[in-house]
Amino acid sequence: MKNREDTMHIRLINPNTTASMTAKIGVAGARVAAAGTQVSATNPDAGPVSIESHFDEAVSALGVLDEIRRGEREGADGGERVDAYVIACFGDPGLLAARELTTAPVIGIAEAAFHLATLISTRFSVVTTLGRTCIIAEHLLQNYGFAHHCRKVRAAEIPVLDLEDDGACALGRIIDECRRAKTEDGIGAIVLGCGGMADLTDEIREAVGLPIVEGVTAAVKLAESLVSLRLGTSKHGDLAFPRAKTFTGRFDYLGS
Ligand code: 5HY
């Protein structure tokens, strides 16, 4: 392992295949990274251009696992070792399966944002993209044990890729929904519910006047903490490496 005091490499994985969103996520992560932290951002070659349903989520999870395996291979082949991974989609697709594939910490942006929001407020709301994805965030809140901290999961009713289109006034709709949350939900903070919102934090904070927790930047800072504390994914118990076995058909490449 590297001398943690000096350098670390954090790999951000955008589970959808929209390269412009991956680049934006990379810029947002690098902007908050400490000196000595190298941030790289990738997305799978295959998968949905945006994740807006359970189906999209399920398909994107395999892309996430392929990117983790790629990061591990790069390190093993003498390339730049990855010290921590961030899954930069608010559904945290494939999170636990990804943790099985590496000793490095793997952090989902939803989980990271929930953790930080509860450190600065007793109650927060989430503002995500489409109404149909709210249930995904609600399931994560329950699963991670944060449901009682979250007053409401709201949607700005914008398709994810509107965040890539300056003409779509996605920002205005997000600010309007955040303002409604501020006046109606009795909260102290707002969590942004999409990796594609990673570059909007400052403008939303200015316009709404509440602490805004954004998942990509939250996950980068948590990853830095874990790596500098030499805390990696436990290989004792359910997150141990998967047992070697044959995979058939188009998944035979996963066999070991
Ligand atoms: C995300 N979709 O963070 C989720 C947001 C959402 O492609 N990146 C996506 O709406 O669930």
Side-chain angles (χ1 to χ4, degrees), residues 14-16 21 49-53 57 88-91 109 128-130 133 136 160 193-196:
N14 172 19
N16 72 44
M21 190 172 285
V49 292
S50 65
I51 299 160
E52 298 171 324
S53 68
E57 187 111 347
C89 167
F90 204 75
I109 64 171
T128 189
T129 54
L130 292 176
T133 69
I136 295 174
V160 168
C194 182

Side-chain angles (χ1 to χ4, degrees), residues 148-205:
H148 62 291
H149 284 281
C150 182
R151 271 281 157 75
K152 195 165 179 160
V153 178
R154 293 169 168 270
E157 282 308 338
I158 52 169
V160 168
L161 291 185
D162 273 13
L163 293 162
E164 297 306 294
D165 168 2
D166 295 341
C169 65
L171 176 60
R173 295 182 69 117
I174 296 166
I175 288 173
D176 291 348
E177 197 58 38
C178 288
R179 284 184 173 142
R180 275 189 283 276
K182 181 181 180 181
T183 51
E184 298 168 13
D185 298 355
I187 54 172
I190 290 173
V191 166
L192 297 182
C194 182
M197 296 176 185
D199 62 333
L200 302 177
T201 314
D202 296 345
E203 286 172 277
I204 297 172
R205 185 188 304 116

